Amino acid sequence: MNLAEHLPAVKTFLAVARAPSMAEAARALYRSRAAVSRAVGDLETALGTRLFDRHGTGLELTATGRLALARAGRIDAELAQAARICRARTGTLYDGRRLQLVVQLVALRSVSRAAVATGLSQSGASMALSRLESTLGVPLFERAKNGVVPSDAAVHLAVHARRTFAELRHLHSDIASIAGVPSGSVVVGALPLGRTQVLPEALAEALNGRPGLRVTTVESHYDHLVGELHSGDIDIVVGVTREGSDDSGLVREPLFTDRLVVLAGAGHPLAGRRVRAAELAGERWILPREGSPSRRLFVDAFHSAGFPPPRPVVESADLGVVRRLLSSGEVLALASARQYFFELSSGLVTELDVDLPPMTREVALLLRSGAEQSPATSAVIEALRRRSGL
């Protein structure tokens, strides 16, 4: 169920929940009492639960209604922030289809492609955009030869719209989990180190006994994942954080300290003995990309040992690529001991005893500051904490 279509009903529900009576809410919304009652009923049908108990003396929020009220309040706060940026009334933004169109236009920079993504015709999308800009009184996009260019107001509106949709997604989880078993969807941003051992084990634990839990992982580079976390499209990011990155608005929780090691194929001539830094400097290397945290640690370790860092013959952090190249027995690789746990355990590769300073980095859990985690998200977070401590 796409709750974005029911965003106007969320506005109505919020007014009813906050007003002394449905009649008072109807007057505040400039709508008939019957229309207000119908909107609340439609939202209850979409959610599959009652939000109010009806009594002769009025309405009383149910347990699920109280959960919905908390999410609806957060949605109203997000749209209020967007309205201030656009200098508009909050109520004008309670239109899920138009908000989805803005999100797609900012992402795709094309009216025709955004129309397809939102299920509109191109003329319908153009008309919806014109009406929204007229209602807000501010231009959101500049029409260009090859598409559209979003204004600052459009970019900010898209962020708050995406956070609004995230709140609607979590509302499903809140209600589905009221019986005590976390349900709903969780989106996890996974950096390379996080997704090879800790994350799969944590997901297996979280999914065990929770048939209603659904997890989507997003694999990308750090800046992209953090951007999606800020906007609410991703709930959690797991991996090595970046020094010097702008993590404002995020909460960083250390999970464990990871150890970087020098790996070689089982039959490499340097395996099985202490290896001096001078010997390492003359070897052929597979290294992470320049500028990555791992590469910086590698460079610093060689400088501390008094040697210039070797240049790689291959730059890659892909497990499959590195494993295959190591099996040739002719190269060395810098990698995480945790990431190659299975290869080390099976004897496919070996860790060299090297004369270099220790190379460690922090693996952390990133969350958006102020976000109210759903029960489903909380279940995954708790599993990550437990698996990281093993």
Side-chain angles (χ1 to χ4, degrees):
M1 174 67 69
N2 183 9
L3 280 180
E5 298 174 0
H6 297 274
L7 199 53
V10 172
K11 175 188 172 186
T12 303
F13 160 73
L14 187 61
V16 173
R18 289 175 171 176
S21 66
M22 187 173 288
E24 288 290 335
R27 279 192 288 272
L29 293 168
Y30 299 100
R31 300 180 68 185
S32 69
R33 181 170 177 171
V36 169
S37 179
R38 186 164 54 251
V40 171
D42 289 345
L43 183 60
E44 289 179 318
T45 300
L47 293 172
T49 187
R50 286 183 299 106
L51 300 174
F52 294 99
D53 283 326
R54 279 75 170 171
H55 304 294
T57 55
L59 301 176
E60 180 181 357
L61 283 166
T62 62
T64 51
R66 290 190 291 274
L67 290 174
L69 178 58
R71 288 290 174 194
R74 296 179 68 84
I75 288 169
D76 195 62
E78 290 292 345
L79 295 180
Q81 288 187 55
R84 282 194 292 273
I85 293 167
C86 297
R87 298 180 181 178
R89 292 183 296 107
T90 305
T92 61
L93 297 179
Y94 274 89
D95 187 319
R97 181 58 65 86
R98 287 181 178 177
L99 291 181
Q100 287 177 324
L101 178 60
V102 170
V103 168
Q104 293 300 328
L105 282 168
V106 168
L108 302 173
R109 312 294 173 98
S110 163
V111 174
S112 59
R113 293 169 64 194
V116 172
T118 52
L120 296 170
S121 65
Q122 185 167 344
S123 60
S126 296
M127 186 178 299
L129 176 58
S130 296
R131 287 176 176 172
L132 178 59
E133 290 179 319
S134 176
T135 299
L136 296 178
V138 295
L140 295 176
F141 296 89
E142 179 183 343
R143 278 66 172 175
K145 183 178 180 180
N146 297 321
V148 294
V149 179
S151 66
D152 288 344
V155 172
H156 286 294
L157 176 56
V159 169
H160 291 293
R162 291 162 72 185
R163 289 182 180 179
T164 293
F165 299 144
E167 295 292 345
L168 290 172
R169 176 167 58 86
H170 292 321
L171 175 56
H172 263 309
S173 177
D174 292 342
I175 292 174
S177 303
I178 199 167
V181 180
S183 301
S185 66
V186 183
V187 184
V188 181
L191 291 159
L193 179 57
R195 61 180 181 247
T196 52
Q197 184 184 9
V198 173
L199 181 58
E201 291 177 354
L203 294 183
E205 178 182 325
L207 291 167
N208 185 31
R210 298 183 176 100
L213 187 61
R214 298 289 181 270
V215 179
T216 300
T217 64
V218 179
E219 296 77 28
S220 188
H221 57 83
Y222 182 82
D223 290 336
H224 174 78
L225 295 180
V226 166
E228 297 289 285
L229 180 62
H230 273 295
S231 68
D233 289 345
I234 286 177
D235 301 313
I236 309 164
V237 171
V238 183
V240 178
T241 57
R242 300 294 189 266
E243 296 229 358
S245 296
D246 181 12
D247 291 343
S248 58
L250 300 179
V251 176
R252 182 170 68 176
E253 177 184 329
L255 291 176
F256 59 88
T257 298
D258 181 54
R259 185 171 61 92
L260 290 172
V261 297
V262 176
L263 298 180
H268 195 282
L270 298 180
R273 65 177 178 84
R274 182 70 168 173
V275 182
R276 293 177 291 108
E279 295 177 278
L280 294 171
E283 290 293 322
R284 291 156 56 85
W285 284 87
I286 310 165
L287 295 177
R289 286 181 301 175
E290 194 165 359
S292 66
S294 302
R295 183 71 169 269
R296 286 195 294 269
L297 286 169
F298 180 81
V299 169
D300 291 344
F302 267 87
H303 282 156
S304 296
F307 294 92
R311 301 294 300 173
V313 294
V314 175
E315 286 189 339
S316 178
D318 183 271
L319 190 148
V321 170
V322 176
R323 182 199 296 128
R324 179 67 184 87
L325 290 173
L326 285 175
S327 69
S328 70
E330 298 177 356
V331 293
L332 304 180
L334 179 74
S336 160
R338 278 195 182 229
Q339 193 172 7
Y340 285 80
F341 172 81
F342 296 107
E343 287 78 8
L344 287 165
S345 300
S346 65
L348 292 173
V349 300
T350 185
E351 176 186 343
L352 297 188
D353 180 13
V354 298
D355 186 22
L356 287 175
M359 294 175 282
T360 61
R361 68 255 176 96
E362 178 185 88
V363 177
L365 173 70
L366 288 178
L367 305 169
R368 181 161 57 90
S369 179
E372 182 66 30
Q373 305 302 337
S374 70
T377 304
S378 295
V380 173
I381 291 172
E382 288 304 316
L384 278 166
R385 288 169 177 158
R386 283 191 293 269
R387 302 310 300 182
S388 296
L390 294 181

